Amino acid sequence: MQLEKICLNVCQLARETGLFINQEGEKIKAENVEVKGLNNFVTYVDKNAEAKIVEGLKKLLPEAGFIAEEGSGKEAKGALNWIIDPLDGTTNFIHGMPPHAVSIGLADGEELLAGVVYEVKADECFYAWKGGNAFMNNKQIHVSKAPTVADSLIATGFPYYDFDQMQAFMGTLEYLFQNSHGVRRIGSAATDLAYVACGRFDSFYEYNLNPWDVAAGALIVKEAGGQVSDFKGESNYLFGREIIASNNNTHKEFLALINKYFYK
Ligand code: IPD
Ligand code: CA
Ligand code: CA
């Protein structure tokens, strides 16, 4: 499989979809917002963007299945799948705010092969393919060199529908408020990961995420020299609903800290 070529084609498709998202963003109204669950929203823009992406990807790789947030296509169990979030950061989008992104990953079972995160408002396309390094708008990107958590700017997502692990999460925040450069919640997990990959953030952690939130971004972080794991330091971050991504230097320290609160 020519992963580089596939990746560049997916970037083009993500950019075209981003143009559609931007155009519709100008017109979006409160009556376009549907409620999927507690604080979980969707619009016709998410759904139409996904349909556009799936149509394009079918032409690119007819044998691959789909794991897509808004339910398009059929999963190919244990085989090649596109893992798609057509609009990551819907809450930002409906409030007219950046960032929001198109996220498209390609996986063979659990092995990530390619990833594209296109942050629509900044017109930044982050991408990587397995073994091919990571890029943003044609320029190679690298994770930061921060040596410790104390030297780090941390990204996370706040719980918004499942509050069972609130105490553990608040413990991590309390620690990080006092022992890091600060914590950001920018509202798009795919963009959080892309920003770790290019060194803007030094680490990111969040739980209750879905595969489409992390598939593309996790590969981009790894190809940019970073490290990705679940909260136990294992590799079940794609389907395991918890992820830590770091600049590699700080992974062990950051992992031990998150693990301490969540698994004590
Ligand atoms: C959400 C964003 C957000 C994260 C949520 C995700 P959506 O995705 O990535 O940053 O905190 O957990 O569900 O719903 O906007 O595609
Ligand atoms: Ca998402
Ligand atoms: Ca989404």
Side-chain angles (χ1 to χ4, degrees), residues 134-181:
F135 302 86
M136 190 264 277
N137 293 356
N138 298 324
K139 248 182 97 185
Q140 193 175 347
I141 52 171
H142 300 279
V143 291
S144 78
K145 292 190 167 72
T148 68
V149 171
D151 303 297
S152 295
L153 182 62
I154 314 288
T156 189
F158 300 153
Y160 60 96
Y161 67 93
D162 174 356
F163 305 106
D164 285 357
Q165 298 188 83
M166 187 72 105
Q167 217 182 341
F169 182 67
M170 295 309 278
T172 62
L173 285 183
E174 202 175 332
Y175 178 89
L176 290 167
F177 289 168
Q178 299 173 80
N179 297 282
S180 74
H181 283 191

Side-chain angles (χ1 to χ4, degrees), residues 36 40-42 46 50 69-70 84-90 101 212-213:
K36 285 204 284 191
N40 187 3
F41 308 108
V42 68
D46 302 60
E50 185 171 293
E69 178 169 22
E70 310 309 338
I84 304 164
D85 192 333
L87 178 41
D88 183 59
T90 296
W212 46 79
D213 299 310

Side-chain angles (χ1 to χ4, degrees), residues 13 19 30 44 51 59 76 93-94 103 121 175 181 226 248 254:
L13 183 60
L19 202 63
Y44 74 92
K59 289 186 202 140
F93 173 72
I94 62 186
S103 176
K121 283 290 176 195
Y175 178 89
H181 283 191
N248 202 31
F254 194 64

Side-chain angles (χ1 to χ4, degrees), residues 54-75:
V54 166
E55 191 192 309
L57 295 176
K58 274 184 181 162
K59 289 186 202 140
L60 197 58
L61 207 60
E63 66 269 37
F66 292 93
I67 301 172
E69 178 169 22
E70 310 309 338
S72 315
K74 213 172 153 245
E75 180 177 354

Side-chain angles (χ1 to χ4, degrees), residues 76-97:
K77 286 271 176 218
L80 271 186
N81 279 295
W82 292 106
I83 307 182
I84 304 164
D85 192 333
L87 178 41
D88 183 59
T90 296
T91 303
N92 283 352
F93 173 72
I94 62 186
H95 286 267
M97 279 171 54

